[in-house]
Amino acid sequence: MSDVETGTEPEHDTADRAAGAAGGAQADAAGSVRAAEAAAELAAGAAADGADRPGITEQLIRELLRDQHPDLAEHPLALGALGWDNQLWRLGDDLAVRLPWATESSDELLRKEHAWLPGLAPLLPLPVPVPQRFGEPSARFPRPWIVTTWVPGTPADRAPVTRGAAAADALAAFLTALHRPAPEGAPTGRGRGGPLVEAAGWVEQQFTEAVGLGLLPDPDAVRAVWDDAVAAPAWTGPALWQHGDLHPANVLTADGSLCGVVDFGDLCCGDPALDLAATWILLPDDAAADRFHAAYGPGADAATLRRARGIAVMRALVGLLVGEAGVRGRPGGKATWGPPARASLHRLLATADRG
């Protein structure tokens, strides 16, 4: 849940994109819009707390490339997306440069992606940003950075799923392929993939804040879903690979369905409920969710689904708070996060008797 469970905003390295030659013109237009939005966000963030964040510019990135990967240094370069952990710059048509610019933990997350994602990517049926090059810390920029493939598509918080059956099939195929036992030494989550009780204090803080802002129409019902998830039997199976942060800003869409998954900074192993929460967050209705569960290879027992519902509540709380901050024009807020969070909570409460 990249930073969802730690209370900070997840990175959404999800600059706009579109797959295939037929969608190329649309992708270029979407990419231009996202680049403009990212630039505006960058300016707003610099005005709010620029003293706390390193200056990353096109000139700096070109100098880094000339120093370490000179064959890439003259490719076209443009700001693509901005997250609290990393900045994403599109490099030519097929690559992107990701650089940490805020949180200290982002160094470790980039190194983790570079170490593990190349081996997992060929197994996955949806495009993902595969690390191609590594940038060593240097006097010019004292932190690691990576060059990855560029994944076409538009973030689902901006272009939600409209073709539920197709999206359910795509998500089921992706998680069936990903959710396999992780090898010894695989990374564990930063508070993810383990017992939900460990996140209870943090959830209570988010819950209290959301209630105080009037964002929860039925707080007791929301709390009941969470309490039931915490009370569910814990996962006792093998630690399975997890994306760790499947929320709308990290999943890409095209033509109403899923076309890519990005931001593997929270890649970890553990309880599959962590990723299965996506059925309430990404899919548009219960029919699509039922189709997903029928196609999902590993299957999910009742206890796993109860825990997944609790994780979906966690994500929804964050989405509501980040969305509200965006509506109010506060730094770090993203108004597009509110609608999918409200829709997710509506479905969770409407199907409480099915949990």
Side-chain angles (χ1 to χ4, degrees), residues 120-141:
L120 283 172
L123 308 175
L124 304 177
L126 287 173
V128 301
V130 184
Q132 304 292 303
R133 309 282 185 92
F134 188 80
E136 296 287 352
S138 64
R140 199 182 299 278
F141 188 74

Side-chain angles (χ1 to χ4, degrees), residues 199-295:
W202 180 87
V203 170
E204 183 63 32
Q205 293 175 0
Q206 305 303 298
F207 181 86
T208 300
E209 185 175 353
V211 170
L213 291 170
L215 300 178
L216 298 181
D218 192 344
D220 290 342
V222 174
R223 185 183 291 278
V225 174
W226 169 252
D227 288 344
D228 180 68
V230 173
W235 174 252
T236 58
L240 305 182
W241 275 119
Q242 306 291 305
H243 174 277
D245 197 17
L246 284 178
H247 63 80
N250 285 340
V251 175
L252 308 180
T253 65
D255 192 28
S257 187
L258 308 186
C259 67
V261 178
V262 297
D263 188 1
F264 282 74
D266 280 305
L267 179 70
C268 64
C269 60
D271 181 357
L274 178 59
D275 282 351
L276 293 177
T279 58
W280 287 277
I281 299 162
L282 298 175
L283 299 180
D285 51 43
D286 294 334
D290 290 344
R291 185 182 179 103
F292 166 88
H293 288 297

Side-chain angles (χ1 to χ4, degrees), residues 298-322:
D301 60 18
T304 299
L305 293 180
R306 289 167 63 190
R307 296 191 305 274
R309 288 170 61 85
I311 294 168
V313 164
M314 297 173 70
R315 294 190 189 279
L317 289 173
V318 171
L320 290 173
L321 293 172
V322 172

Side-chain angles (χ1 to χ4, degrees), residues 22-50:
Q26 181 179 358
D28 290 343
S32 297
V33 170
R34 282 293 294 135
E37 291 172 345
E41 250 184 288
L42 181 59
D49 57 3

Side-chain angles (χ1 to χ4, degrees), residues 12 14-17 29-45 79-83 88 101 153-155 157-159 333-337:
H12 66 193
T14 51
D16 333 65
R17 352 228 194 186
S32 297
V33 170
R34 282 293 294 135
E37 291 172 345
E41 250 184 288
L42 181 59
L79 179 62
L82 186 67
L88 182 79
W101 80 302
T154 302
D157 62 320
R158 300 177 181 276
K334 299 185 185 297
T336 56
W337 285 36

